[in-house]
Amino acid sequence: MSQSTLAPIEIKVAVLREAGSKLQLERAELGVPRADEVRVRIVATGVCHTDMVVRDQLFPTPLPIVLGHEGSGIVESVGAAVTTIAPGDHVVMTYMSCGLCLPCETGHPAHCSHMHPLNFGGGRLDGSTSTCSCDNAAPIHDHFFGQSSFSTYVIASERSVVKVSKKAPLELLGPLGCGIQT
């Protein structure tokens, strides 16, 4: 699907609105991918201890936020500058890195100078989000670990998705992007 034909879509998200509370299933609107981003339909996601730590705000993030960082799915659309991923690709998602700092440029993206804001900041590095409430159009923080996979669809950076074989069972692959690579 080309960038010019994309439009925001309605999705379902599990939102954390208060520290320690249950996640609330809500309708939201997901924007269109930027030039270096992809829209992924989530097939499966794992629940990690880090999701629970952030739910309880032992490691604070902005609220409300969509958590989830062990997502796998199918790419629905790509931004104009995306070159390594195409619509229909099966992917596993992982943490976000900037690709521009010294650690990233020297092959150490896990030590990215922007690791905290990109993965725990509740949005893109510029502070924007791609998710907003259908009820009042208020932004909902997202991009948790570069994905916020407690959702039916996500916007993720091309840097945060890894193409996998279409023969591989997506429902089992989500933890590859977190616990297994750790």
Side-chain angles (χ1 to χ4, degrees):
M1 183 176 287
S2 73
Q3 183 75 16
S4 62
T5 61
L6 288 177
I9 60 171
E10 186 174 304
I11 61 174
K12 289 184 182 173
V13 293
V15 180
L16 175 66
R17 293 203 168 271
E18 294 180 26
S21 68
K22 292 182 179 179
L23 304 182
Q24 299 175 27
L25 191 59
E26 299 180 12
R27 294 178 317 114
E29 182 176 274
L30 185 68
V32 298
R34 290 183 175 179
D36 62 345
E37 295 177 328
V38 299
R39 183 187 287 165
V40 178
R41 179 177 59 82
I42 298 297
V43 171
T45 188
V47 178
C48 177
H49 185 259
T50 304
D51 295 308
M52 294 180 279
V53 167
V54 172
R55 176 202 59 203
D56 295 339
Q57 292 289 280
L58 300 172
F59 195 98
T61 61
L63 299 178
I65 192 167
V66 179
L67 301 175
H69 64 280
E70 292 187 351
S72 59
I74 301 171
V75 175
E76 178 189 83
S77 55
V78 301
V82 172
T83 60
T84 62
I85 303 294
D89 284 349
H90 289 205
V91 296
V92 171
M93 292 178 285
T94 189
Y95 65 90
M96 183 58 185
S97 60
C98 75
L100 303 172
C101 66
L102 183 61
C104 285
E105 286 184 339
T106 57
H108 301 284
H111 300 285
C112 175
S113 298
H114 302 286
M115 181 61 72
H116 186 330
L118 284 171
N119 293 282
F120 294 98
R124 298 176 180 100
L125 200 52
D126 67 6
S128 66
T129 67
S130 56
T131 308
C132 67
S133 171
C134 281
D135 294 332
N136 58 13
I140 299 173
H141 295 285
D142 58 13
H143 288 78
F144 181 65
F145 271 82
Q147 59 189 279
S148 288
S149 59
F150 290 172
S151 179
T152 52
Y153 288 82
V154 302
I155 299 287
S157 168
E158 178 180 19
R159 293 184 57 76
S160 295
V161 296
V162 178
K163 185 176 174 179
V164 296
S165 169
K166 290 184 178 181
K167 294 178 182 178
L170 282 174
E171 66 276 5
L172 300 178
L173 296 182
L176 286 174
C178 178
I180 293 177
Q181 84 177 1
T182 302

Coordinates of all heavy atoms in Angstrom, one line a residue, residues 19-114:
A19 N -1.3 4.1 37.7 CA -0.2 3.2 38.2 C -0.9 2.0 39.0 O -1.8 2.3 39.8 CB 0.7 3.9 39.1
G20 N -0.5 0.8 38.7 CA -1.0 -0.4 39.4 C -2.4 -0.8 39.0 O -2.9 -1.8 39.5
S21 N -3.1 -0.1 38.1 CA -4.4 -0.5 37.7 C -4.5 -1.6 36.6 O -3.4 -1.9 36.0 CB -5.2 0.7 37.3 OG -4.7 1.2 36.1
K22 N -5.6 -2.1 36.4 CA -5.8 -3.0 35.3 C -5.8 -2.3 34.0 O -6.1 -1.1 33.9 CB -7.2 -3.7 35.4 CG -7.3 -4.7 36.6 CD -8.7 -5.3 36.6 CE -8.7 -6.3 37.7 NZ -10.1 -7.0 37.8
L23 N -5.3 -2.9 32.9 CA -5.3 -2.3 31.6 C -6.7 -2.3 31.1 O -7.5 -3.2 31.4 CB -4.4 -3.1 30.6 CG -3.0 -3.3 31.1 CD1 -2.2 -4.1 30.0 CD2 -2.3 -2.0 31.3
Q24 N -7.1 -1.2 30.4 CA -8.5 -1.0 29.9 C -8.5 -1.2 28.4 O -7.7 -0.6 27.7 CB -9.0 0.4 30.3 CG -9.0 0.7 31.7 CD -9.4 2.1 32.0 OE1 -10.1 2.8 31.2 NE2 -9.0 2.6 33.2
L25 N -9.3 -2.1 27.9 CA -9.5 -2.3 26.5 C -10.3 -1.1 25.9 O -11.4 -0.9 26.4 CB -10.2 -3.6 26.2 CG -10.1 -4.1 24.8 CD1 -8.7 -4.2 24.2 CD2 -10.9 -5.4 24.6
E26 N -9.7 -0.4 25.0 CA -10.4 0.8 24.4 C -10.2 0.9 22.9 O -9.3 0.3 22.4 CB -9.7 2.1 25.0 CG -9.8 2.2 26.5 CD -9.1 3.5 27.0 OE1 -8.8 4.4 26.2 OE2 -8.9 3.6 28.3
R27 N -11.1 1.6 22.3 CA -10.9 2.0 20.9 C -10.0 3.2 20.8 O -10.1 4.1 21.6 CB -12.3 2.3 20.3 CG -13.3 1.2 20.2 CD -14.6 1.6 19.6 NE -15.1 2.9 20.1 CZ -15.3 4.0 19.4 NH1 -15.0 4.0 18.1 NH2 -15.7 5.2 19.9
A28 N -9.2 3.1 19.8 CA -8.3 4.3 19.5 C -8.1 4.4 18.0 O -8.5 3.6 17.2 CB -6.9 4.0 20.2
E29 N -7.5 5.5 17.7 CA -7.1 5.8 16.3 C -5.6 5.7 16.1 O -4.9 6.3 16.9 CB -7.7 7.1 15.8 CG -7.4 7.4 14.3 CD -8.0 8.7 13.8 OE1 -9.2 8.7 13.5 OE2 -7.3 9.7 13.9
L30 N -5.2 5.0 15.1 CA -3.7 4.9 14.8 C -3.5 5.6 13.6 O -4.1 5.4 12.5 CB -3.3 3.4 14.6 CG -1.9 3.1 14.4 CD1 -1.1 3.4 15.7 CD2 -1.6 1.7 14.0
G31 N -2.5 6.5 13.6 CA -2.1 7.3 12.5 C -1.4 6.6 11.4 O -1.3 5.3 11.5
V32 N -0.9 7.3 10.4 CA -0.2 6.7 9.3 C 1.3 6.6 9.6 O 1.8 7.4 10.3 CB -0.5 7.4 8.0 CG1 -1.9 7.4 7.6 CG2 0.0 8.8 8.1
P33 N 2.0 5.6 9.0 CA 3.4 5.5 9.3 C 4.1 6.7 8.6 O 3.8 7.2 7.6 CB 3.8 4.3 8.5 CG 2.6 3.5 8.2 CD 1.5 4.5 8.2
R34 N 5.2 7.2 9.3 CA 6.1 8.2 8.7 C 6.9 7.5 7.7 O 6.9 6.3 7.6 CB 6.9 8.8 9.8 CG 6.1 9.7 10.8 CD 6.9 10.4 11.8 NE 6.2 11.3 12.6 CZ 6.7 12.0 13.6 NH1 7.9 11.9 13.9 NH2 5.9 12.9 14.3
A35 N 7.8 8.3 7.1 CA 8.6 7.7 6.0 C 9.4 6.5 6.4 O 9.6 5.6 5.6 CB 9.5 8.8 5.4
D36 N 9.9 6.5 7.6 CA 10.8 5.4 8.1 C 10.1 4.4 9.0 O 10.7 3.6 9.7 CB 12.0 6.0 8.8 CG 11.6 6.7 10.1 OD1 10.5 7.1 10.2 OD2 12.5 7.0 10.9
E37 N 8.8 4.4 8.9 CA 8.0 3.5 9.8 C 7.1 2.5 9.0 O 6.9 2.7 7.8 CB 7.0 4.4 10.7 CG 7.8 5.2 11.6 CD 6.8 6.1 12.5 OE1 5.8 6.5 11.9 OE2 7.2 6.4 13.6
V38 N 6.6 1.5 9.7 CA 5.7 0.5 9.2 C 4.5 0.3 10.0 O 4.6 0.6 11.2 CB 6.5 -0.9 9.0 CG1 7.7 -0.8 8.1 CG2 6.9 -1.4 10.3
R39 N 3.4 0.0 9.5 CA 2.2 -0.4 10.2 C 2.1 -1.9 10.2 O 2.2 -2.5 9.2 CB 1.0 0.2 9.6 CG -0.3 -0.1 10.4 CD -1.6 0.4 9.7 NE -1.7 1.8 9.7 CZ -2.5 2.5 8.9 NH1 -3.3 1.8 8.1 NH2 -2.6 3.8 9.0
V40 N 2.0 -2.5 11.4 CA 2.0 -3.9 11.6 C 0.7 -4.3 12.3 O 0.3 -3.8 13.3 CB 3.2 -4.4 12.5 CG1 3.2 -5.9 12.7 CG2 4.5 -4.0 11.9
R41 N 0.1 -5.4 11.7 CA -1.1 -6.0 12.3 C -0.5 -7.0 13.3 O 0.2 -8.0 12.9 CB -2.0 -6.7 11.3 CG -3.2 -7.4 12.0 CD -4.2 -8.0 11.0 NE -3.6 -9.0 10.1 CZ -3.4 -10.2 10.4 NH1 -3.7 -10.7 11.6 NH2 -2.8 -11.1 9.5
I42 N -0.9 -6.9 14.6 CA -0.3 -7.8 15.6 C -1.1 -9.1 15.5 O -2.3 -9.2 15.5 CB -0.5 -7.1 17.0 CG1 0.3 -5.8 17.1 CG2 -0.1 -8.1 18.1 CD1 1.8 -6.0 17.0
V43 N -0.3 -10.2 15.5 CA -0.8 -11.5 15.5 C -0.7 -12.1 16.9 O -1.6 -12.7 17.4 CB 0.0 -12.4 14.5 CG1 -0.4 -13.9 14.7 CG2 -0.3 -12.0 13.1
A44 N 0.4 -11.8 17.6 CA 0.6 -12.2 19.0 C 1.5 -11.3 19.7 O 2.4 -10.6 19.1 CB 1.1 -13.7 19.0
T45 N 1.4 -11.3 21.0 CA 2.3 -10.6 21.9 C 2.5 -11.3 23.2 O 1.5 -11.9 23.7 CB 1.9 -9.1 22.1 OG1 2.9 -8.4 22.8 CG2 0.6 -9.0 22.9
G46 N 3.7 -11.2 23.7 CA 3.9 -11.8 25.0 C 3.7 -10.8 26.1 O 3.6 -9.6 25.9
V47 N 3.6 -11.2 27.4 CA 3.6 -10.4 28.5 C 4.9 -10.6 29.3 O 5.2 -11.7 29.7 CB 2.4 -10.7 29.4 CG1 2.4 -9.8 30.7 CG2 1.1 -10.5 28.6
C48 N 5.6 -9.5 29.5 CA 7.0 -9.6 30.1 C 6.9 -9.0 31.5 O 6.1 -8.1 31.8 CB 8.0 -8.9 29.2 SG 9.6 -8.8 29.8
H49 N 7.9 -9.4 32.3 CA 8.0 -8.8 33.6 C 8.1 -7.3 33.6 O 7.6 -6.5 34.4 CB 9.1 -9.4 34.4 CG 9.3 -8.9 35.8 ND1 10.2 -8.0 36.2 CD2 8.6 -9.3 36.9 CE1 10.0 -7.7 37.5 NE2 9.1 -8.5 37.9
T50 N 8.8 -6.8 32.5 CA 8.9 -5.3 32.4 C 7.6 -4.6 32.2 O 7.4 -3.5 32.7 CB 9.9 -5.0 31.2 OG1 11.1 -5.7 31.4 CG2 10.1 -3.5 31.0
D51 N 6.7 -5.3 31.5 CA 5.3 -4.7 31.4 C 4.7 -4.5 32.7 O 4.0 -3.5 33.0 CB 4.4 -5.6 30.5 CG 4.9 -5.7 29.1 OD1 5.1 -4.6 28.4 OD2 5.0 -6.8 28.6
M52 N 4.9 -5.5 33.6 CA 4.3 -5.4 35.0 C 5.0 -4.4 35.8 O 4.3 -3.6 36.6 CB 4.3 -6.8 35.7 CG 3.4 -7.8 35.0 SD 3.5 -9.4 35.8 CE 5.0 -10.1 35.0
V53 N 6.3 -4.2 35.7 CA 7.1 -3.2 36.4 C 6.6 -1.8 36.0 O 6.4 -1.0 36.8 CB 8.6 -3.4 36.2 CG1 9.4 -2.2 36.7 CG2 9.1 -4.7 36.9
V54 N 6.4 -1.6 34.7 CA 5.9 -0.3 34.2 C 4.5 -0.1 34.6 O 4.1 1.0 35.0 CB 6.2 -0.2 32.7 CG1 5.5 1.1 32.2 CG2 7.7 -0.2 32.4
R55 N 3.6 -1.2 34.6 CA 2.3 -1.1 35.0 C 2.2 -0.5 36.4 O 1.4 0.4 36.7 CB 1.6 -2.4 35.0 CG 0.1 -2.4 35.5 CD -0.4 -3.7 36.0 NE 0.5 -4.3 37.0 CZ 0.6 -5.5 37.3 NH1 -0.1 -6.5 36.6 NH2 1.4 -5.9 38.3
D56 N 3.1 -1.0 37.3 CA 3.1 -0.5 38.7 C 3.9 0.8 38.8 O 4.0 1.3 39.9 CB 3.6 -1.6 39.5 CG 2.7 -2.9 39.6 OD1 1.5 -2.7 39.2 OD2 3.2 -4.0 39.9
Q57 N 4.4 1.3 37.7 CA 5.2 2.5 37.7 C 6.4 2.5 38.6 O 6.9 3.5 39.1 CB 4.3 3.7 38.0 CG 3.3 4.0 36.9 CD 4.0 4.6 35.6 OE1 4.3 5.7 35.5 NE2 4.2 3.7 34.7
L58 N 7.0 1.2 38.8 CA 8.2 1.1 39.5 C 9.4 1.6 38.6 O 10.4 2.1 39.1 CB 8.5 -0.4 39.9 CG 7.5 -1.0 40.8 CD1 7.7 -2.5 41.0 CD2 7.4 -0.3 42.2
F59 N 9.1 1.6 37.3 CA 9.9 2.2 36.3 C 8.9 3.1 35.6 O 8.1 2.7 34.8 CB 10.5 1.2 35.4 CG 11.6 1.8 34.5 CD1 13.0 1.6 34.9 CD2 11.4 2.5 33.4 CE1 14.0 2.2 34.1 CE2 12.4 3.1 32.6 CZ 13.7 2.9 33.0
P60 N 8.9 4.4 35.9 CA 7.9 5.3 35.4 C 8.0 5.6 33.9 O 9.0 5.7 33.3 CB 8.1 6.6 36.2 CG 9.4 6.5 36.8 CD 9.9 5.1 36.8
T61 N 6.8 5.7 33.3 CA 6.6 6.1 31.9 C 5.4 7.1 32.0 O 4.6 7.1 32.9 CB 6.2 4.9 31.0 OG1 5.0 4.3 31.5 CG2 7.3 3.9 30.9
P62 N 5.2 7.9 30.9 CA 4.1 8.8 30.9 C 2.8 7.9 30.8 O 2.8 6.9 30.1 CB 4.3 9.6 29.6 CG 5.6 9.3 29.1 CD 6.1 8.1 29.8
L63 N 1.7 8.4 31.4 CA 0.4 7.8 31.3 C -0.6 8.7 30.7 O -0.4 9.9 30.8 CB -0.1 7.4 32.7 CG 0.8 6.4 33.5 CD1 0.2 6.2 34.9 CD2 1.0 5.1 32.8
P64 N -1.6 8.2 30.0 CA -1.9 6.8 29.7 C -0.9 6.3 28.6 O -0.4 7.0 27.8 CB -3.3 6.9 29.1 CG -3.4 8.2 28.5 CD -2.6 9.1 29.4
I65 N -0.7 5.0 28.7 CA 0.3 4.3 27.7 C -0.2 3.0 27.3 O -0.9 2.3 28.1 CB 1.7 4.3 28.3 CG1 2.7 3.9 27.3 CG2 1.7 3.3 29.5 CD1 4.2 4.1 27.7
V66 N 0.1 2.6 26.1 CA -0.1 1.2 25.6 C 1.2 0.5 25.8 O 2.2 0.9 25.2 CB -0.5 1.2 24.2 CG1 -0.7 -0.3 23.7 CG2 -1.8 2.0 24.0
L67 N 1.3 -0.6 26.6 CA 2.5 -1.3 26.9 C 2.6 -2.5 25.8 O 1.9 -2.4 24.8 CB 2.5 -1.9 28.3 CG 2.4 -0.8 29.4 CD1 2.3 -1.5 30.8 CD2 3.6 0.1 29.3
G68 N 3.4 -3.4 26.1 CA 3.6 -4.6 25.2 C 4.9 -4.4 24.4 O 5.0 -3.4 23.7
H69 N 5.8 -5.4 24.5 CA 7.0 -5.3 23.7 C 7.6 -6.6 23.3 O 8.8 -6.8 23.1 CB 8.1 -4.5 24.5 CG 8.5 -5.1 25.8 ND1 7.8 -5.1 26.9 CD2 9.6 -5.9 26.1 CE1 8.4 -5.8 27.9 NE2 9.5 -6.3 27.4
E70 N 6.7 -7.6 23.1 CA 7.1 -8.9 22.6 C 6.1 -9.2 21.4 O 5.5 -10.3 21.4 CB 7.0 -9.9 23.7 CG 8.1 -9.8 24.7 CD 8.1 -10.9 25.7 OE1 7.2 -11.8 25.7 OE2 9.0 -11.0 26.5
G71 N 6.0 -8.3 20.5 CA 5.0 -8.4 19.4 C 5.5 -9.1 18.2 O 6.7 -8.9 17.8
S72 N 4.6 -9.8 17.5 CA 4.9 -10.3 16.2 C 3.7 -10.1 15.3 O 2.6 -10.0 15.9 CB 5.3 -11.8 16.3 OG 4.2 -12.5 16.8
G73 N 3.9 -9.9 14.0 CA 2.7 -9.7 13.2 C 3.1 -9.6 11.7 O 4.1 -10.1 11.3
I74 N 2.1 -9.0 11.0 CA 2.3 -8.9 9.5 C 2.2 -7.5 9.1 O 1.3 -6.7 9.5 CB 1.1 -9.7 8.8 CG1 1.2 -11.2 9.3 CG2 1.2 -9.6 7.3 CD1 0.0 -12.0 8.8
V75 N 3.2 -7.1 8.3 CA 3.3 -5.7 7.9 C 2.2 -5.4 6.9 O 1.9 -6.1 6.0 CB 4.7 -5.4 7.2 CG1 4.7 -4.0 6.6 CG2 5.8 -5.6 8.2
E76 N 1.4 -4.3 7.3 CA 0.3 -3.9 6.4 C 0.7 -2.8 5.4 O 0.3 -2.8 4.3 CB -0.8 -3.4 7.3 CG -2.0 -2.9 6.5 CD -3.0 -2.2 7.4 OE1 -2.8 -1.0 7.6 OE2 -4.0 -2.8 7.8
S77 N 1.5 -1.9 5.9 CA 1.9 -0.8 5.0 C 3.3 -0.3 5.5 O 3.7 -0.5 6.6 CB 0.9 0.3 5.0 OG 0.6 0.8 6.3
V78 N 4.0 0.4 4.6 CA 5.3 1.0 4.9 C 5.4 2.4 4.5 O 4.7 2.8 3.5 CB 6.4 0.1 4.2 CG1 6.4 -1.3 4.7 CG2 6.4 0.2 2.7
G79 N 6.3 3.2 5.1 CA 6.5 4.5 4.8 C 7.4 4.6 3.5 O 8.0 3.6 3.1
A80 N 7.4 5.8 2.9 CA 8.1 6.0 1.6 C 9.6 5.7 1.6 O 10.1 5.3 0.6 CB 7.9 7.4 1.2
A81 N 10.3 5.8 2.8 CA 11.7 5.6 2.8 C 12.1 4.2 3.3 O 13.3 3.8 3.3 CB 12.4 6.6 3.7
V82 N 11.1 3.3 3.6 CA 11.4 1.9 4.1 C 11.9 1.1 2.9 O 11.3 1.0 1.8 CB 10.1 1.3 4.7 CG1 10.4 -0.1 5.1 CG2 9.8 2.1 6.0
T83 N 13.0 0.4 3.1 CA 13.6 -0.4 2.0 C 13.8 -1.9 2.4 O 14.0 -2.7 1.5 CB 15.0 0.2 1.7 OG1 15.9 0.1 2.8 CG2 14.9 1.6 1.1
T84 N 13.8 -2.2 3.7 CA 14.1 -3.6 4.0 C 12.8 -4.4 4.4 O 13.0 -5.7 4.6 CB 15.0 -3.6 5.2 OG1 14.4 -3.0 6.4 CG2 16.3 -2.9 4.9
I85 N 11.7 -3.8 4.5 CA 10.5 -4.5 4.8 C 9.4 -4.1 3.8 O 9.3 -3.0 3.4 CB 10.0 -4.0 6.3 CG1 11.1 -4.3 7.3 CG2 8.7 -4.7 6.7 CD1 11.4 -5.7 7.6
A86 N 8.5 -5.0 3.5 CA 7.4 -4.8 2.5 C 6.1 -5.3 3.1 O 6.0 -6.1 4.0 CB 7.7 -5.5 1.2
P87 N 5.0 -4.7 2.6 CA 3.7 -5.2 3.0 C 3.6 -6.7 2.8 O 4.1 -7.2 1.8 CB 2.7 -4.4 2.1 CG 3.4 -3.1 1.8 CD 4.9 -3.6 1.7
G88 N 3.0 -7.4 3.8 CA 2.9 -8.8 3.7 C 4.0 -9.6 4.4 O 3.9 -10.8 4.7
D89 N 5.1 -8.9 4.7 CA 6.2 -9.6 5.5 C 5.7 -9.9 6.9 O 5.0 -9.2 7.5 CB 7.4 -8.6 5.6 CG 8.2 -8.5 4.3 OD1 8.0 -9.3 3.3 OD2 9.1 -7.6 4.2
H90 N 6.2 -11.1 7.3 CA 6.0 -11.5 8.7 C 7.2 -10.9 9.5 O 8.3 -11.0 9.1 CB 5.9 -13.0 8.8 CG 4.7 -13.5 8.3 ND1 4.1 -14.7 8.7 CD2 3.8 -13.1 7.3 CE1 3.0 -15.0 8.0 NE2 2.8 -14.0 7.2
V91 N 6.9 -10.3 10.7 CA 8.0 -9.7 11.4 C 7.8 -10.0 12.9 O 6.8 -10.2 13.4 CB 8.0 -8.2 11.2 CG1 8.3 -7.8 9.8 CG2 6.7 -7.5 11.7
V92 N 9.0 -9.9 13.6 CA 9.1 -9.8 15.0 C 9.6 -8.4 15.4 O 10.4 -7.9 14.6 CB 10.0 -10.9 15.6 CG1 10.3 -10.7 17.1 CG2 9.5 -12.3 15.3
M93 N 9.0 -7.8 16.4 CA 9.4 -6.5 16.8 C 10.4 -6.5 18.0 O 10.3 -7.4 18.8 CB 8.2 -5.6 17.0 CG 7.4 -5.4 15.7 SD 6.0 -4.4 16.0 CE 4.9 -5.6 16.7
T94 N 11.2 -5.5 18.1 CA 12.2 -5.4 19.2 C 12.3 -4.0 19.6 O 11.6 -3.1 19.0 CB 13.5 -6.1 18.8 OG1 14.4 -6.1 19.9 CG2 14.2 -5.3 17.7
Y95 N 13.2 -3.7 20.5 CA 13.4 -2.4 21.0 C 13.9 -1.4 20.0 O 14.3 -1.8 18.9 CB 14.5 -2.4 22.2 CG 15.9 -2.8 21.7 CD1 16.8 -1.9 21.3 CD2 16.2 -4.2 21.7 CE1 18.0 -2.2 20.9 CE2 17.5 -4.5 21.2 CZ 18.4 -3.5 20.8 OH 19.6 -3.9 20.4
M96 N 13.8 -0.1 20.3 CA 14.1 0.9 19.3 C 15.5 1.5 19.7 O 15.9 1.6 20.8 CB 13.1 2.0 19.4 CG 13.2 3.2 18.5 SD 13.3 2.7 16.8 CE 13.6 4.2 16.0
S97 N 16.2 1.9 18.6 CA 17.5 2.6 18.7 C 17.5 3.7 17.6 O 16.8 3.6 16.7 CB 18.7 1.6 18.6 OG 18.6 1.0 17.3
C98 N 18.3 4.7 17.8 CA 18.3 5.8 16.9 C 19.0 5.6 15.6 O 18.7 6.1 14.6 CB 18.8 7.1 17.6 SG 20.6 7.1 17.8
G99 N 20.1 4.8 15.6 CA 20.9 4.5 14.4 C 21.9 5.6 14.1 O 22.6 5.5 13.1
L100 N 21.9 6.7 14.9 CA 22.7 7.8 14.5 C 23.8 8.1 15.5 O 24.8 8.7 15.2 CB 21.9 9.1 14.4 CG 20.8 9.0 13.3 CD1 19.9 10.2 13.4 CD2 21.4 8.8 11.9
C101 N 23.7 7.7 16.8 CA 24.7 8.0 17.8 C 25.9 7.0 17.7 O 25.9 6.1 16.9 CB 24.0 7.8 19.2 SG 23.6 6.1 19.6
L102 N 26.9 7.3 18.4 CA 28.2 6.5 18.3 C 27.9 5.0 18.6 O 28.4 4.2 17.8 CB 29.3 7.1 19.2 CG 30.6 6.4 19.1 CD1 31.2 6.5 17.7 CD2 31.6 7.0 20.1
P103 N 27.2 4.7 19.7 CA 27.0 3.2 19.9 C 26.3 2.6 18.7 O 26.6 1.5 18.3 CB 26.2 3.2 21.2 CG 26.6 4.5 21.9 CD 26.8 5.5 20.8
C104 N 25.3 3.2 18.2 CA 24.5 2.6 17.1 C 25.4 2.5 15.8 O 25.4 1.5 15.2 CB 23.3 3.5 16.7 SG 21.9 3.3 17.9
E105 N 26.1 3.6 15.5 CA 27.0 3.6 14.3 C 28.1 2.6 14.4 O 28.7 2.1 13.4 CB 27.6 5.0 14.1 CG 26.6 5.9 13.5 CD 27.1 7.3 13.2 OE1 28.2 7.7 13.7 OE2 26.5 8.0 12.4
T106 N 28.5 2.2 15.6 CA 29.6 1.2 15.8 C 29.0 -0.2 16.1 O 29.8 -1.1 16.6 CB 30.6 1.6 16.9 OG1 29.8 1.8 18.1 CG2 31.3 2.9 16.5
G107 N 27.8 -0.4 15.8 CA 27.2 -1.8 15.9 C 26.7 -2.2 17.2 O 26.6 -3.4 17.5
H108 N 26.4 -1.2 18.1 CA 25.9 -1.5 19.5 C 24.6 -0.8 19.8 O 24.5 0.0 20.7 CB 27.0 -1.1 20.5 CG 28.3 -1.8 20.3 ND1 28.5 -3.1 20.6 CD2 29.5 -1.3 19.7 CE1 29.8 -3.4 20.3 NE2 30.3 -2.4 19.7
P109 N 23.6 -1.1 19.0 CA 22.3 -0.4 19.2 C 21.7 -0.6 20.6 O 20.9 0.2 21.1 CB 21.4 -1.0 18.1 CG 22.0 -2.3 17.8 CD 23.5 -2.1 18.0
A110 N 22.0 -1.7 21.3 CA 21.5 -1.9 22.7 C 22.1 -0.9 23.6 O 21.5 -0.7 24.7 CB 21.8 -3.3 23.2
H111 N 23.1 -0.1 23.2 CA 23.7 0.9 24.1 C 23.4 2.3 23.5 O 24.1 3.3 23.8 CB 25.2 0.7 24.2 CG 25.5 -0.6 24.8 ND1 25.3 -0.8 26.2 CD2 26.0 -1.8 24.3 CE1 25.7 -2.1 26.5 NE2 26.0 -2.7 25.4
C112 N 22.3 2.4 22.7 CA 22.0 3.7 22.0 C 21.9 4.8 23.0 O 21.4 4.6 24.1 CB 20.6 3.5 21.4 SG 19.9 5.0 20.6
S113 N 22.4 5.9 22.7 CA 22.4 7.1 23.6 C 21.0 7.6 23.9 O 20.8 8.3 24.9 CB 23.2 8.3 22.9 OG 24.5 7.9 22.7
H114 N 20.0 7.2 23.0 CA 18.6 7.6 23.2 C 17.8 6.4 23.7 O 16.5 6.4 23.5 CB 18.1 8.2 21.9 CG 18.9 9.4 21.4 ND1 18.8 10.6 22.0 CD2 19.8 9.5 20.5 CE1 19.6 11.4 21.4 NE2 20.2 10.8 20.5

